Amino acid sequence: MKSHVRLLDILDKAESGPIIEEKEFDKLLSKTVKELVKKYELKRDPAQAIVTDDSLADRFFEAGMELALTVGTYCTSTHRQMKYTRDEIETALRWAPAEIEIGSGLDKVTIRNRRPEDTNRPIMIGGPFGSPISEELYSKVMESYIQEPVIDSVVGGNFITIHGRRIKTGSPWEVLTAWREVELTKSAAQRAGRPGIPVGVVENAVTEIGELTATNKEGFDATYWHHTCFTSELKTNYALLIKVAHCIRTGSIIHDFANPIYGGHAGGAEGVGVVAVASIILLSVVNMSTTHSICPTHPFYNCDTAPEIIWSVSAAQQAIARNTHLLTAVMTSPVSGPGTESLLFECATMATTATVSGTSRIDGVRSAVGVVDEHVSGLEARFNAEAAYAATGMSRKDANEMILQFQKGYVDYLDKLPIGKSFSEVYDVRTLKPTQEWMDVYNSVKEKVRAIGLPMK
């Protein structure tokens, strides 16, 4: 891929950039973000759920670009600041793909660049997204997502144990864990009748070891898409860059992500939006990736559906969608778990926000913020996708009014952490059908969302 020719330049910057202590980099980032929020007059109106003003979205892009130029990225392995010229960044953005095919055979799907209020629907990615899953249920959980026709692609969870043993990161057990992911993911896809469905991998590669062992022709080949990321904020390291180098040399599709922390070095909602824009820009430069996901994180709830973060997500997505052709993604990471009404209202909020803001693909649902054992199921991913389909082509102004209503269905529960029920409590593990109780909740919320104005079928 043309965007991959910068690998040597990036590795050089990780070893020859200015030496700076990490705490000094953090101070520089915080200071710069505050200055840029003021300079570009970025201000959240609490009465608005999302950004609906093109000029505000464009100012977020300029602020994010300036942050990327001023701060760059930080390599924690070498204690060096990796800086880029505007020409380097603009060249990277120019050669980044505007569409990409993932998967194989009849399950192949194309992810395309979208604009705010685009009439083309986003691609929907389902799965537990790193949530802890037992070996015994792993394949069944994955099949519950793969069997949903509205889901275009999937991402796995993290094993609680491997062959009944405790997993040790950075050890031979990580090798076995990665291969167990290969075996059980492929078997789930075969049973669901979608052997070519594109899968985001290697989800159990906590370090570079898992990626190196499972990314090959016998494991996860070039038809799958592979993860790497930044750590907060705007940082990388040799383990992550090893993943990048390996994916490039194996001809693999690279997907990356960054999770700016609300209230941290990024500051408030405005600063989170700026850091999110800079993250997407710099991920394209440093990781030479094809798709770029953000999941701004709340420091207390660990979700990205809090009203302040929803607004930040809309700002960042619109900024990138209006000013580049990058393929962006948003993670749906709610507080609530399966079996709860609040979970589906959180899904409706994020799906609508991301869709009308020009997101290319929507990920999720990482129910109960991915930290409660087996509190995930395919039904909420179906709801997430159906909400995104219904919001496709809608104006941001109309969506804004609906989202304000959706948020009333869960905001009061954010601090109560309604984790709901486990997979085996909301699905029949033999037939892989949702329980009637879970279906009743699903149908009830769908009717409520329709009444608000989202035309879910």
Side-chain angles (χ1 to χ4, degrees), residues 51-63:
V51 170
T52 59
D53 179 2
D54 288 343
S55 65
L56 178 56
D58 292 342
R59 295 201 304 276
F60 264 101
F61 181 78
E62 291 304 321

Side-chain angles (χ1 to χ4, degrees), residues 36-37 40 42 58-68 274:
L36 292 172
V37 167
Y40 288 96
L42 307 176
D58 292 342
R59 295 201 304 276
F60 264 101
F61 181 78
E62 291 304 321
M65 175 65 80
E66 191 167 335
L67 179 63
V274 173

Side-chain angles (χ1 to χ4, degrees), residues 261-281:
I261 299 173
Y262 177 78
H265 296 301
E270 298 86 356
V272 168
V274 173
V275 173
V277 171
S279 296
I280 294 171
I281 290 171

Side-chain angles (χ1 to χ4, degrees), residues 245-427:
H246 183 64
C247 285
I248 288 175
R249 294 301 299 168
T250 55
S252 301
I253 299 166
I254 303 174
H255 168 75
D256 53 33
F257 58 92
N259 303 337
I261 299 173
Y262 177 78
H265 296 301
E270 298 86 356
V272 168
V274 173
V275 173
V277 171
S279 296
I280 294 171
I281 290 171
L282 290 171
L283 285 166
S284 181
V285 175
V286 177
N287 291 345
M288 292 151 281
S289 40
T290 55
T291 49
H292 321 277
S293 177
I294 58 169
C295 180
T297 303
H298 196 283
F300 304 128
Y301 315 134
N302 294 323
C303 69
D304 67 351
T305 54
E308 303 89 341
I309 295 178
I310 289 293
W311 187 87
S312 302
V313 167
S314 75
Q317 291 296 298
Q318 291 176 40
I320 294 295
R322 281 182 50 78
N323 293 278
T324 75
H325 61 254
L326 295 179
L327 303 174
T328 59
V330 170
M331 167 65 73
T332 308
S333 186
V335 163
S336 308
T340 64
E341 284 199 355
S342 54
L343 168 61
L344 302 183
F345 278 113
E346 289 183 77
C347 290
T349 294
M350 182 57 82
T352 303
T353 297
T355 300
V356 302
S357 295
T359 304
S360 297
R361 50 170 265 201
I362 302 176
D363 300 348
V365 177
R366 189 166 62 190
S367 304
V369 295
V371 298
V372 184
D373 290 4
E374 295 170 354
H375 274 55
V376 294
S377 82
L379 189 60
E380 59 262 31
R382 181 201 300 179
F383 187 95
N384 206 45
E386 290 175 334
Y389 285 17
T392 299
M394 183 178 293
S395 73
R396 285 167 289 173
K397 182 178 178 181
D398 289 343
N400 179 73
E401 298 305 315
M402 293 181 194
I403 293 166
L404 289 170
Q405 296 302 311
F406 299 156
Q407 289 175 337
K408 293 178 180 179
Y410 70 87
V411 167
D412 289 343
Y413 299 99
L414 289 175
D415 61 345
K416 297 178 177 60
L417 307 181
I419 62 173
K421 297 182 178 181
S422 69
F423 178 78
S424 58
E425 292 175 308
V426 295
Y427 266 66

Side-chain angles (χ1 to χ4, degrees), residues 169-182:
T169 299
S171 77
W173 294 106
E174 189 172 340
V175 174
L176 298 182
T177 304
W179 278 101
R180 194 68 172 142
E181 181 181 334
V182 172

Side-chain angles (χ1 to χ4, degrees), residues 32-199:
T32 306
V33 169
K34 290 178 182 177
E35 292 172 348
L36 292 172
V37 167
K38 183 177 180 179
K39 175 181 177 180
Y40 288 96
E41 299 179 342
L42 307 176
K43 184 65 176 177
R44 172 178 175 252
D45 179 357
Q48 298 295 308
I50 62 174
V51 170
T52 59
D53 179 2
D54 288 343
S55 65
L56 178 56
D58 292 342
R59 295 201 304 276
F60 264 101
F61 181 78
E62 291 304 321
M65 175 65 80
E66 191 167 335
L67 179 63
L69 289 166
T70 303
V71 175
T73 50
Y74 183 73
C75 182
T76 58
S77 300
T78 60
H79 303 280
R80 292 184 182 272
Q81 185 181 12
M82 302 164 65
K83 299 197 70 175
Y84 319 92
T85 65
R86 192 173 189 107
D87 181 64
E88 286 176 314
I89 290 177
E90 289 180 347
T91 298
L93 298 181
R94 182 163 60 252
W95 289 108
E99 65 177 54
I100 186 76
E101 283 189 343
I102 56 176
S104 61
L106 297 176
D107 299 304
K108 185 182 295 184
V109 64
T110 301
I111 304 174
R112 293 184 174 88
N113 169 253
R114 296 178 69 251
R115 302 272 292 177
E117 304 177 6
D118 205 309
T119 56
N120 294 311
R121 70 171 181 86
I123 296 300
M124 301 304 302
I125 315 292
F129 283 86
S131 298
I133 312 290
S134 68
E135 292 176 81
E136 294 75 18
L137 281 180
Y138 191 90
S139 195
K140 291 180 179 294
V141 170
M142 290 300 294
E143 191 176 349
S144 79
Y145 294 92
I146 298 170
Q147 70 183 3
E148 295 290 347
V150 292
I151 298 300
D152 300 298
S153 175
V154 291
V155 174
N158 284 348
F159 290 105
I160 298 173
T161 59
I162 182 67
H163 300 297
R165 279 85 163 180
R166 184 170 64 89
I167 300 169
K168 297 178 182 178
T169 299
S171 77
W173 294 106
E174 189 172 340
V175 174
L176 298 182
T177 304
W179 278 101
R180 194 68 172 142
E181 181 181 334
V182 172
E183 296 160 3
L184 295 184
T185 301
K186 288 186 174 182
S187 67
Q190 287 284 355
R191 286 199 311 274
R194 301 179 70 183
I197 189 171
V199 184

